[in-house]
Amino acid sequence: MAKQPMLKFISVDRDMPAKRAADERNKDFHEIYAAYAEAKAEEQASRCSQCGVPYCQSHCPLHNNIPDWLRLTATGRLEEAYEVSQATNTFPEICGRICPQDRLCEGNCVIEQSGHGTVTIGSVEKYITDTAWENGWVKPPAPTSEREESVAIIGAGPGGLAAADMLRRAGVQVTVYDRYDRAGGLLTYGIPGFKLEKDIVMRRNDQLEAGGVTFKMNCEIGKDISFDEIRKAHDAVIIATGVYKSRDLQGPGAGAAGIVKAIDYLTASNRLSFGDTVPEFDSGELNAEGKKVVVIGGGDTAMDCVRTAIRQGAESVKCLYRRDRANMPGSQRETQNAEEEGVVFEWLAAPKGFTGDPVNGVMVQRMRLGQPDASGRQSPEVIEGADYVEEADLVIKALGFEPEDLPALWNEPALSVTRWGTIKAAFTTGATDLDGVYAVGDIVRGASLVVWAIRDGRDCAEAILKKLNAAKAIAAE
Ligand SMILES: Cc1cc2nc3c(=O)[nH]c(=O)nc-3n(C[C@H](O)[C@H](O)[C@H](O)COP(=O)(O)OP(=O)(O)OC[C@H]3O[C@@H](n4cnc5c(N)ncnc54)[C@H](O)[C@@H]3O)c2cc1C
Ligand code: SF4
């Protein structure tokens, strides 16, 4: 009888790839997890219980066929594992690195519920596609025939690029416009190298270009070229511009020098890793070296800022968050990584104002959690008389992002938006109220996740292809 290759969760313990020691990794911007060796990836994949109804798959936004590619990995059939994995995910090695798996696939793994520790789905997904790159299995789009129709994609983040890849593979002429100089959106300039090294993103951009996607960089729609011109030049337009308006802080002293936006701080740091000259870093404005740094916020962006500040050689790094650890929006895994690297968290602490200009302190109010609000989350309440001043000579605001006012910026009042300013678009297709105009990713969902942007981009590309095919069929009648 053939040996059973799976269901090893009883005899094999969960084992993540080795993490570099905190006092080594906190000095550079390289990723912190090592790669699995082949035998380890096979062993960890073999822990999967091959559920009939795989909850990991239904909780993955891309509905990745996880049990199948785990089984193929466990039996050494890696090229097939890659084929299955890439069939539903445009950038599996990126998701494997930065998805919050504890809230998605791994958080719903049945063997985790039975106390054996989840299958390390993300790490195996990363291993499969990293191996595929090493072996030359990842190929640029190579359509069997060219189509005449063209699609414009505004924004080269994961949402726009996932759509670009699918449309180009079908032979459509694709032009991606972006106001930055490099493609990748927040994968390039938001997320730091210790979570996602930049060559992982750049090789994807290069492949799309090699496959015939045209990139028009340093091109801001609404400034360098109008939205109307773009619409006239293409058969369809996808808006994938993300959300970039930083939420601000109020209170006395909020405008002082030394209080900076998280996105500016992280972009400067990421630019340095490309070897760019960054005047705001050289002047010290966006450099944490030798400073007492306070980061305000409790999401992924705040976690990335605190850990960047540690790597820049800050004297101390504190994170203020108005709720407690259990109620923070950021990943627990990243919070633990930050603590290991030397970040101090002040839970239930909110800024009330700032002292000095340039800033030399944050006036902090102590909070407690009160009654749940309409969303069911407990609202933070001020504890009177418990204020204190936290010393700081660099304060980084990481309070979240909102959409820019696209209808005004693009002089297109007919582009409908929600009351939050996100674009109104059909969930399954991304179709907006404007004919031939679609929208995907954060500009529709509000600040969300890479994996959801990829899902939207793929769904939208499929909807556009259907529409183009239908139009072609009618024209041929
Ligand atoms: C610091 C940080 C850390 C994060 N960490 C994680 C994480 O660990 N895991 C995770 O899943 N998600 C994470 N996210 C969220 C994730 O990055 C986003 O959800 C995702 O990138 C959204 O993709 P998108 O394609 O919609 O937009 P974006 O990635 O924001 O890309 C939008 C692109 O549009 C361009 N653009 C905008 N306006 C214009 C214009 N007018 N003309 C031309 N181009 C324009 C921008 O330059 C940009 O390149 C993080 C976000 C931040 C800010
Ligand atoms: S894409 Fe994200 S949620 Fe889906 S299997 Fe991969 S790591 Fe899990």
Side-chain angles (χ1 to χ4, degrees):
M1 204 172 82
K3 216 171 128 202
Q4 163 60 266
M6 305 301 287
L7 294 142
K8 302 261 176 69
F9 62 92
I10 296 170
S11 54
V12 176
D13 285 341
R14 175 178 196 267
D15 197 4
M16 280 287 286
K19 188 158 65 167
R20 292 196 290 142
D23 60 353
E24 177 206 323
R25 67 181 196 246
N26 67 11
K27 296 181 185 64
D28 64 51
F29 284 84
H30 295 302
E31 287 178 9
I32 71 166
Y33 294 100
Y36 272 145
E38 187 179 339
K40 182 57 88 180
E42 287 180 12
E43 176 204 82
Q44 288 298 306
S46 76
R47 298 181 66 246
C48 172
S49 67
Q50 301 283 286
C51 308
V53 180
Y55 291 113
C56 56
Q57 182 170 4
S58 45
H59 283 85
C60 164
L62 293 161
H63 298 312
N64 280 342
N65 214 330
I66 301 164
D68 281 4
W69 47 252
L70 286 172
R71 189 183 177 92
L72 289 164
T73 304
T75 49
R77 294 161 62 184
L78 272 179
E79 192 166 356
E80 290 161 85
Y82 167 67
E83 287 303 331
V84 176
S85 162
Q86 65 83 47
T88 51
N89 190 351
T90 317
F91 307 124
E93 75 284 22
I94 294 178
C95 292
R97 283 172 165 84
I98 60 167
C99 269
Q101 286 105 10
D102 48 354
R103 283 189 266 145
L104 301 171
C105 53
E106 294 182 14
N108 292 279
C109 171
V110 165
I111 65 172
E112 165 84 348
Q113 324 287 326
S114 70
H116 288 91
T118 168
V119 176
T120 51
I121 297 169
S123 304
V124 176
E125 187 178 31
K126 163 179 179 280
Y127 170 78
I128 294 169
T129 309
D130 283 350
T131 308
W133 275 98
E134 280 163 27
N135 286 286
W137 303 333
V138 185
K139 299 275 193 271
T144 45
S145 61
E146 292 290 341
R147 300 180 63 131
E148 281 176 2
E149 303 99 326
S150 80
V151 174
I153 299 178
I154 308 173
L161 295 185
D165 180 77
M166 212 158 174
L167 289 166
R168 186 60 204 131
R169 282 179 196 276
V172 174
Q173 308 310 310
V174 178
T175 306
V176 179
Y177 300 83
D178 200 292
R179 61 186 173 192
Y180 281 144
D181 54 346
R182 293 183 180 92
L186 290 171
L187 302 176
T188 298
Y189 286 131
I191 299 173
F194 50 82
K195 277 166 52 181
L196 176 65
E197 282 179 10
K198 299 301 143 190
D199 55 348
I200 306 290
V201 184
M202 293 306 120
R203 67 185 179 186
R204 283 288 180 185
N205 298 339
D206 293 345
Q207 272 230 341
L208 286 169
E209 204 161 9
V213 172
T214 304
F215 284 93
K216 289 205 189 303
M217 306 308 292
N218 297 306
C219 180
E220 181 164 348
I221 308 310
K223 200 168 134 200
D224 300 309
I225 179 168
S226 74
F227 181 59
D228 193 42
E229 277 174 82
I230 298 263
R231 280 189 80 188
K232 286 190 177 126
H234 298 275
D235 296 288
V237 178
I238 303 177
I239 303 169
T241 49
V243 287
Y244 283 87
K245 200 166 89 189
S246 302
R247 290 203 187 107
D248 224 338
L249 283 169
Q250 307 300 329
I259 304 176
V260 303
K261 291 178 188 165
I263 192 70
D264 295 343
Y265 177 68
L266 292 172
T267 304
S269 175
N270 277 316
R271 281 197 175 283
L272 288 174
S273 66
F274 284 106
D276 294 356
T277 306
V278 184
E280 300 83 1
F281 180 84
D282 296 339
S283 70
E285 187 189 335
L286 297 176
N287 182 358
E289 188 178 354
K291 294 185 180 163
K292 294 189 184 80
V293 178
V294 171
V295 175
I296 300 171
D300 284 331
T301 305
M303 295 311 107
D304 289 349
C305 289
V306 288
R307 297 175 69 199
T308 296
I310 288 275
R311 283 160 174 78
Q312 288 181 346
E315 183 186 320
S316 64
V317 182
K318 287 199 171 175
C319 183
L320 301 187
Y321 181 54
R322 63 199 179 122
R323 291 189 165 92
D324 61 5
R325 186 182 192 123
N327 286 288
M328 69 182 291
S331 147
Q332 292 294 334
R333 185 175 65 184
E334 300 306 330
T335 309
Q336 193 193 334
N337 286 336
E339 278 178 329
E340 288 168 7
E341 290 163 9
V343 176
V344 174
F345 285 85
E346 294 290 345
W347 306 112
L348 296 163
K352 182 181 174 184
F354 302 87
T355 57
D357 189 2
V359 70
N360 57 26
V362 183
M363 294 183 265
V364 182
Q365 292 178 314
R366 278 283 170 206
M367 314 295 283
R368 66 171 157 245
L369 292 180
Q371 294 302 314
D373 61 16
S375 72
R377 282 177 94 196
Q378 282 180 282
S379 305
E381 295 170 351
V382 175
I383 302 176
E384 297 299 341
D387 297 4
Y388 68 99
V389 174
E390 185 73 62
E391 277 186 74
D393 36 25
L394 176 63
V395 175
I396 303 173
K397 301 178 280 188
L399 299 145
F401 300 97
E402 283 165 7
E404 290 158 292
D405 185 354
L406 291 188
L409 288 170
W410 291 359
N411 196 22
E412 186 44 276
L415 180 65
S416 301
V417 293
T418 65
R419 63 192 169 105
W420 299 280
T422 49
I423 295 181
K424 258 191 200 163
F427 264 121
T428 46
T429 62
T432 69
D433 287 351
L434 296 180
D435 190 35
V437 177
Y438 299 76
V440 300
D442 281 5
I443 191 60
V444 176
R445 294 177 180 273
S448 177
L449 293 173
V450 169
V451 65
W452 279 115
I454 296 173
R455 167 74 192 267
D456 287 354
R458 292 174 65 93
D459 284 353
C460 178
E462 213 175 280
I464 291 176
L465 285 171
K466 252 190 209 155
K467 196 169 168 195
L468 295 179
N469 289 342
K472 219 173 169 180
I474 291 170
E477 272 171 14

